[in-house]
Amino acid sequence: MSLRYLPNTASIDEIVEVIRADGGVIIRGFLKPRILRGLRQDLLPLLEGTPGGEDAYFAGAQTGRLSRLFARSKYMVDLALNPLFLQSARALLQTPISGWSGEVRHEVAPDIQVGVTQAIQIRPGQGKQPLHRDDGVWLWRHPQYGREARLQIMVALSAFSRENGATHVIPGSHRWDDERMPTEAESVQAEMEPGDALLWVGSTYHGGGENRTSTPRTGLTMAYDLAILRQEENHFLSLPLERVRQFPEELQRLLGWSCSTTYMGWVELNGQFVDPWELLQRDDFREPGQLT
C-alpha cells in the first residue's frame, strides 16, 4: 500500500474514509501560506537554540523537540481549529457508547481534547526512529479495544523528502494485532511540501526517517485524543492562565478546561460540581488551587 494524497478541498467524509481504510492520509496545502509563515517565524528561531534529545534510541540525539506550542505561537489556534483536522478527529474518535443508569439507558459520545504538541527538527546525521504506535502511551490493545484513541497531524514546516527524514508510515497497520512486529520494508515515506500535512490514527505504525542531507527537516505535530484519557502533554502546567484566557472558548475546552460528557474533570466550588471553564471567567481565579 501507499499513502494517498487529498487536496485541501476534500470533504471531511472523504478524509475520514481514507484514514479508516489506510490508517493515514496526506492533505496537500493544509496550511494557508500566512499560517505557515507565522509558524515558521515563531518556531524556527526557538528550535535553533534547542539541543538534541538525551534519549538517542527514541527521541534522537540529533533531533530538536519543542513543546508548549500554544504558548509560543498564536498561529497554533488556526492549526488546532482547522476544520479538516478538528472535524476529522471528531468523526473518527467520538463513537457513542451505551450504558445504563438505573432504568435509563444512555448513549454518550466521548469528548476529545488536545494531547501532545511538538515542533520536531530532524537534523543532519539523525538515524531512523523506531516504528511505533502513538497510542502506546495508554497501553492501548489492538484489536480488543475496538476504537481509536488519537488522531495526530504532522504539518511540514519544511519539505519532507526520503533523503531528509520524511516520516515512515505503514499503511494498513492500524488493523494489526499487537503480536505483529513492524518492519521498515513495509513502510512508505510521507513526502510533503511545506504546508502539507499527514494525518494518522494512534494505532498506525510510523517513525521519523533518517536525515542523509546537510539541512534539517522540520515538522509540527499535534494530537486530538479521547478526553477520557490523560493528556500526554500537561497543558495545565505548560500554559499561563492569561494565555489560555485569550483563546476562543472552543479551544479552551479542548485544552482540558472543561468537564467531559461523563463529567470527568470537575472542580468542587461551594459544594457543587463546577465546570473548570467557569474558573476562567472569574477575576479572582489567578492560579491553580485559588478557590473560595
Side-chain angles (χ1 to χ4, degrees):
M1 295 179 65
S2 60
L3 286 168
R4 285 188 263 182
Y5 292 78
L6 291 176
N8 59 13
T9 55
S11 69
I12 303 301
D13 287 343
E14 289 173 313
I15 294 170
V16 169
E17 180 182 5
V18 173
I19 294 175
R20 282 182 172 150
D22 300 348
V25 68
I26 295 174
I27 307 296
R28 291 290 196 194
F30 175 84
L31 283 185
K32 294 180 180 179
R34 176 182 64 85
I35 307 303
L36 175 61
R37 286 194 302 270
L39 288 168
R40 287 176 56 87
Q41 290 170 0
D42 289 343
L43 301 178
L44 293 186
L46 297 175
L47 278 166
E48 289 180 4
T50 303
E54 297 180 357
D55 171 18
Y57 173 74
F58 189 84
Q62 301 301 320
T63 297
R65 295 174 182 270
L66 194 70
S67 294
R68 294 186 282 124
L69 299 188
F70 284 99
R72 287 170 156 153
S73 178
K74 67 180 182 180
Y75 297 99
M76 282 298 297
V77 177
D78 299 274
L79 171 59
L81 299 183
N82 185 306
L84 297 183
F85 182 27
L86 177 56
Q87 298 308 321
S88 294
R90 293 195 184 283
L92 286 161
L93 301 180
Q94 294 190 284
T95 303
I97 297 174
S98 296
W100 290 96
S101 177
E103 298 179 353
V104 179
R105 186 167 180 84
H106 296 278
E107 185 174 78
V108 180
D111 291 322
I112 61 172
Q113 63 189 355
V114 176
V116 66
T117 69
Q118 200 165 88
I120 303 175
Q121 188 172 75
I122 296 180
R123 295 161 180 162
Q126 175 63 58
K128 299 182 185 71
Q129 186 184 39
L131 293 166
H132 60 282
R133 284 169 155 163
D134 283 333
D135 58 15
V137 296
W138 303 291
L139 305 180
W140 213 248
R141 298 294 84 190
H142 315 82
Q144 294 94 318
Y145 290 1
R147 66 182 305 128
E148 294 293 340
R150 163 175 289 184
L151 180 68
Q152 188 142 346
I153 193 169
M154 173 69 78
V155 178
L157 298 186
S158 68
F160 277 39
S161 70
R162 296 188 182 191
E163 292 74 26
N164 73 3
T167 307
H168 285 262
V169 181
I170 303 182
S173 59
H174 62 306
R175 295 190 295 270
W176 295 2
D177 63 25
D178 293 312
E179 301 306 312
R180 181 170 173 176
M181 183 185 74
T183 65
E184 183 186 340
E186 297 169 288
S187 72
V188 297
Q189 287 184 264
E191 296 187 275
M192 299 188 285
E193 295 299 319
D196 295 348
L198 166 68
L199 279 71
W200 75 98
V201 287
S203 56
T204 298
Y205 278 104
H206 67 285
E210 177 184 5
N211 190 343
R212 302 187 298 273
T213 72
S214 59
T215 56
R217 185 230 79 177
T218 307
L220 188 164
T221 193
M222 180 190 142
Y224 276 120
D225 303 332
L226 292 174
I228 58 175
L229 303 170
R230 182 175 181 179
Q231 290 166 298
E232 183 177 353
E233 181 181 2
N234 193 324
H235 303 291
F236 299 104
L237 299 182
S238 300
L239 303 178
L241 276 177
E242 290 312 308
R243 183 76 181 104
V244 175
R245 284 188 165 108
Q246 296 170 10
F247 296 148
E249 179 183 343
E250 183 176 22
L251 181 56
Q252 291 171 340
R253 292 183 177 278
L254 287 166
L255 283 166
W257 289 90
S258 177
C259 280
S260 70
T261 49
T262 55
Y263 231 68
M264 294 175 62
W266 52 264
V267 176
E268 182 271 321
L269 189 63
N270 296 323
Q272 305 301 316
F273 297 146
V274 175
D275 188 326
W277 184 80
E278 295 184 22
L279 300 182
L280 295 177
Q281 317 313 307
R282 293 175 54 132
D283 292 335
D284 61 344
F285 179 66
R286 311 305 302 174
E287 62 182 35
Q290 188 178 8
L291 299 173
T292 58

